[in-house]
Amino acid sequence: MDIKQRIANKTALFAGVADEEVLGWLETPPSPDKGDIALPCFKLARSLRKAPPAIAVELAAEFAGFEGIVKAEPAGGYLNFFLDRGDEAKKTVLRVLREGMDFGSSKEGAGRNVCIDFSSINICKPFGVHHITTTVLGHSLARIFRHLGFTPVRINHLGDWGTQFGKMLVAYKKWGDREKIESAASPTRELVALYVRFHQEAENDPSLDDEARAAFRSIELHDPENWELYQWFKELTLKEAERVYKLLGVEFDSYNGEAFYEDKMPAVIKELQDKGVTTVDNGMTIVDLSAYDMPPCLILKSNGGTIYPTRDITAAIYRKNTYDFYKNLYVVAYQQNLHFRQVFKTLELMGYDWAKDCVHVNFGMISMQDMTFSTRKGNAIYLEDVLNKAIEKTKAIMQEKSPDLENADEVARQIGVGAVVWGPLYSSRIKDFTFSWDKALNFEGETAPYAQYTHARCCSVLRKAGGYDIEKADWSCLDNESCASLIKAVASLPDSVASAAEKYEPYLISRNVIEICSCFNKFYFENRIMDEDEGVKTARLALTDAARTAIKLGLYLVGIEAPERM
Ligand code: ARG
C-alpha cells in the first residue's frame, strides 16, 4: 500500500474519522527540509477536541517507528512526515523496471471503445500547418486511452462531400491536365490552383456556378465518369496526406468521412421528423434550439440538400451503433464550438441519452511567427513543408554536434518532427499557440529535442556502464535532494497519464516528462553515477534506467519518438 494511504489509515483510526477524508487533507510541505508529507492537524481539532499543536505532538508519538517513515515532526499545527527516501526510491525504481513501457497502465478501459475523430482533413484542400493540433492531440489521446486499457477507434472524418467538388470537377475538365497533376510533387497544390482559378473566373462568368451545381449533382447520382474523377481527387489527396501521417507516425482505423454518410442520412432525417424534433422554416428543415440559447441547427437546405450538421448527426448515430462507444470525442478547433453544441443537443432531443458521452475536445489557434497565413491567395503553409524544413534544420545542427552518428537521417526525422509537434502538446489545448523555429529547435529549453536529448543521455550512461546487477543496489544512497526530486517526478507519471485522459489534456504528460528531464539532469550533475562503491553505482544506474523508461514512455504517449543516440 502506498505510504500516503497508510498514514491516512493510521491517523483515521486514531482520530475516529474516515480515512478517505484524511487522504484528502494530506499536503506537500512548502520546502523539502520540512519533510515530504504534511498533515494539517486543525482538521482533527473537532473530533479530538484538542488544540492542533497538541494533536500534532500526540500523533507524532503514534508514528514512532512507522515503516517507511524516518521521522514525524510536529511543527505548530502541522505534523510533518519525513519519508524513508531510500525505501521510496527502491519501490519506484523497481516498479518502473518491472513494468517498463506498461508503467502506469491499467485495465480500467477493458472492453470499452473510445471513438476519436481527429485530423479529419478536407479533400482537394491543403493539409496545412493549422491541422497539426488536431492531428497530434488525437494521436496522443489514442495512445493514452490505449495505455489505460480502452480500445481507441481513430477516425479521419474526411471532408469529402459538398458543392465544392462540383467546382473542382468543372475546373479540372476545363483547365486540368491529368499527367501534370499526377506527376506533381504535390498534386493537391495543382488541385487547389484549379479551385482558385474557378473562383476567379466565376466572378466574371456566373454560369460556371450553375455548371458546378450540375456537376455535383452528377456526382451525387454516381455518373460513372464524374464519380471516377471525384474518387481520383480523393486518392490524390489521401496519398499526399499519407506522407505526412508517415512522418508523424499517425494511423487511423477508419477513413469514413462525410460522403460515407450520404446513403445513411435519409433514415436519420426521417427519424428527426418522426420524433418531431425538426420544423420547417422558409423551406429549410431545422431544429429550433432557441430554448437552449442557440441558433437553429440546419438539417436540410431549401433545395433539400444535406449539410455538415446533418452528416455529423448521422455519423454520431452510426458510431454508436457500430462501436457502442464509451466516449465519442471530436478533436476540432474551438471555432466549431457552436456546431458541436447544436449537434449534441439535437442528439439529446432525439432521445439518445448517450449524447452526454459525446465530447468536443476543442483547441486554440496556431500561428507561425516568421510567416503569415493567407489561404485567400492560395498560399497556405503546408504541414509537410514545415516538417521537412524542421528535419533539414535538425540535420544541419546534428552534422555539427555529432557528425559520426549512424542512421542520422532517421534520428533527424525523429527530432525534427518532435520539435514541430511539441508546441500544441505542451500547453493547455485551448490556448492559442505561436510557432517559432528558434523555440522549437532549442535543445536546452522545455522542448521535445531537450527531452529526447536527456533520454539519449540516459541511454549513453547505461550503455557505457555495460549493465548492472540490481541485487547489489544500495538504495539508501538515493536519499539526497536531487535523487528525491527525480524519484518524485518519475513516480507521478501514472497520475499525469490518468489526468491527461480525464481532461483530454496530453500536455499534463509532456510537462511531467520535462520535469523528469530537468530533475535527471540535476541528478546527473550532482551525483557521480560511476561511483567506486558498487552499491552506490548500481542504485544510481537503476535510477537512470527508470528515468530513461519514464521519459521514453511519456514521449511515446504524446506521439514522439525517443532515439537512443543523437
Ligand atoms: N473537416 C473539418 C474541417 O477541416 C473537420 C471535421 C471534424 N469532424 C467532424 N466530425 N465534424 O474543418
Side-chain angles (χ1 to χ4, degrees):
M1 204 189 300
D2 135 85
I3 184 78
K4 274 192 172 173
Q5 185 66 53
R6 290 196 298 116
I7 290 176
N9 288 357
K10 189 167 177 78
T11 308
L13 211 62
F14 179 79
V17 290
D19 53 351
E20 311 90 71
E21 221 176 345
V22 182
L23 199 59
W25 296 335
L26 296 178
E27 298 172 9
T28 305
S31 61
D33 59 307
K34 300 206 167 51
D36 303 292
I37 297 172
L39 172 68
C41 294
F42 61 89
K43 299 272 193 194
L44 299 167
R46 228 175 45 158
S47 53
L48 292 174
R49 296 169 189 284
K50 271 187 201 141
I55 296 174
V57 171
E58 239 176 80
L59 254 179
E62 286 292 312
F63 276 98
F66 193 75
E67 196 209 319
I69 284 174
V70 285
K71 186 166 65 166
E73 191 176 69
Y78 281 83
L79 181 58
N80 293 333
F81 297 95
F82 291 77
L83 301 186
D84 181 340
R85 287 175 169 174
D87 196 52
E88 280 297 299
K90 176 181 173 186
K91 275 197 217 136
T92 300
V93 170
L94 289 182
R95 177 176 172 200
V96 177
L97 296 184
R98 190 175 62 239
E99 297 183 3
M101 288 296 275
D102 287 330
F103 178 45
S105 71
S106 82
K107 304 245 178 318
E108 180 196 338
R112 289 175 177 167
N113 295 334
V114 174
C115 290
I116 310 176
D117 177 323
F118 72 104
S119 200
S120 300
I121 54 168
N122 300 316
I123 300 301
C124 299
K125 293 254 178 77
F127 191 160
V129 74
H130 53 280
H131 274 94
I132 194 175
T133 312
T134 170
T135 306
V136 302
L137 276 182
H139 176 49
S140 167
L141 288 173
R143 287 189 170 178
I144 293 169
F145 277 102
R146 181 166 286 140
H147 198 67
L148 299 178
F150 295 88
T151 305
V153 184
R154 299 161 298 181
I155 304 170
N156 198 331
H157 184 81
L158 298 176
D160 56 359
W161 202 243
T163 43
Q164 69 270 31
F165 294 99
K167 296 177 184 173
M168 203 52 242
L169 203 66
V170 171
Y172 171 72
K173 284 191 168 173
K174 285 196 190 303
W175 314 298
D177 174 346
R178 188 162 189 137
E179 221 160 279
K180 184 173 169 223
I181 295 173
E182 273 184 338
S183 59
S186 164
T188 61
R189 274 179 172 83
E190 302 293 322
L191 296 178
V192 170
L194 287 171
Y195 191 68
V196 169
R197 177 156 177 199
F198 178 92
H199 281 272
Q200 284 162 351
E201 307 241 353
E203 265 181 39
N204 305 319
D205 180 4
S207 76
L208 281 176
D209 282 314
D210 298 328
E211 270 186 64
R213 260 189 294 277
F216 182 58
R217 187 76 200 128
S218 75
I219 295 176
E220 286 186 305
L221 297 172
H222 288 227
D223 166 78
E225 185 197 336
N226 289 350
W227 182 260
E228 188 272 329
L229 283 172
Y230 159 72
Q231 291 297 340
W232 177 61
F233 296 152
K234 259 172 101 158
E235 267 164 43
L236 289 174
T237 313
L238 284 177
K239 221 168 113 193
E240 202 173 319
E242 272 317 317
R243 299 203 302 240
V244 178
Y245 292 139
K246 204 165 159 238
L247 284 175
L248 295 170
V250 169
E251 288 170 358
F252 296 92
D253 302 298
S254 162
Y255 280 90
N256 288 339
E258 299 190 37
F260 177 78
Y261 298 101
E262 198 46 21
D263 62 352
K264 296 167 187 61
M265 279 188 284
V268 172
I269 292 162
K270 182 165 185 305
E271 184 185 338
L272 277 159
Q273 289 163 339
D274 289 350
K275 286 181 172 168
V277 176
T278 53
T279 50
V280 177
D281 183 59
N282 272 324
M284 297 177 294
T285 301
I286 61 159
V287 181
D288 180 359
L289 296 173
S290 54
Y292 310 97
D293 276 335
M294 280 185 260
C297 181
L298 194 54
I299 304 293
L300 291 176
K301 294 187 281 191
S302 46
N303 68 5
T306 60
I307 51 164
Y308 189 51
T310 330
R311 295 192 268 282
D312 260 328
I313 293 164
T314 309
I317 296 171
Y318 176 85
R319 286 176 197 172
K320 185 65 195 177
N321 292 338
T322 308
Y323 305 112
D324 191 24
F325 55 70
Y326 162 74
K327 291 278 182 213
N328 181 27
L329 313 182
Y330 297 85
V331 187
V332 183
Y334 68 66
Q335 280 89 339
Q336 296 193 28
N337 278 359
L338 176 63
H339 165 73
F340 284 106
R341 279 174 57 222
Q342 291 176 315
V343 167
F344 300 164
K345 184 51 87 179
T346 301
L347 290 165
E348 188 190 313
L349 294 175
M350 292 174 86
Y352 291 124
D353 63 345
W354 49 259
K356 65 176 183 345
D357 303 323
C358 298
V359 184
H360 178 199
V361 178
N362 56 4
F363 56 82
M365 304 229 292
I366 173 166
S367 48
M368 304 279 287
Q369 195 171 53
D370 327 305
M371 288 183 247
T372 47
F373 287 119
S374 174
T375 20
R376 240 180 324 124
K377 293 195 196 126
N379 54 348
I381 299 170
Y382 281 69
L383 180 51
E384 187 177 21
D385 293 347
V386 175
L387 292 171
N388 283 329
K389 188 167 168 193
I391 296 169
E392 285 311 313
K393 281 180 179 259
T394 308
K395 242 184 237 169
I397 296 173
M398 278 175 27
Q399 253 147 30
E400 242 176 70
K401 290 200 177 189
S402 34
D404 310 321
L405 193 70
E406 285 168 38
N407 66 335
D409 285 352
E410 177 65 359
V411 175
R413 183 189 62 78
Q414 295 171 326
I415 297 169
V417 167
V420 173
V421 303
W422 186 251
L425 290 166
Y426 196 60
S427 286
S428 171
R429 56 186 153 78
I430 204 67
K431 278 207 189 138
D432 291 340
F433 164 72
T434 305
F435 180 86
S436 109
W437 286 111
D438 289 345
K439 243 171 129 184
L441 290 172
N442 186 347
F443 283 54
E444 312 286 325
E446 298 174 2
T447 62
Y450 168 71
Q452 289 167 319
Y453 179 72
T454 308
H455 172 266
R457 169 174 275 168
C458 294
C459 291
S460 148
V461 168
L462 292 160
R463 201 165 45 233
K464 283 184 191 138
Y468 57 89
D469 175 5
I470 193 84
E471 299 300 328
K472 298 205 173 114
D474 170 9
W475 302 104
S476 70
C477 80
L478 301 181
D479 70 340
N480 61 38
E481 259 357 291
S482 67
C483 292
S485 317
L486 176 56
I487 291 291
K488 209 170 131 199
V490 169
S492 60
L493 189 61
D495 278 347
S496 300
V497 177
S499 307
E502 200 184 299
K503 303 189 174 115
Y504 312 113
E505 288 281 25
Y507 89 97
L508 295 170
I509 298 176
S510 318
R511 301 253 159 179
N512 200 150
V513 168
I514 291 299
E515 177 70 14
I516 297 172
C517 292
S518 58
C519 288
F520 176 78
N521 287 317
K522 191 158 184 289
F523 159 79
Y524 177 82
F525 287 113
E526 291 182 6
N527 300 266
R528 232 176 78 86
I529 295 181
M530 298 309 279
D531 200 88
E532 298 83 44
D533 184 288
E534 186 75 14
V536 170
K537 182 180 93 178
T538 305
R540 289 178 182 163
L541 280 172
L543 178 52
T544 302
D545 207 357
R548 176 188 67 87
T549 301
I551 297 168
K552 184 174 175 183
L553 171 61
L555 287 177
Y556 171 81
L557 290 174
V558 296
I560 293 174
E561 291 173 73
E564 293 186 2
R565 297 171 202 248
M566 62 187 265

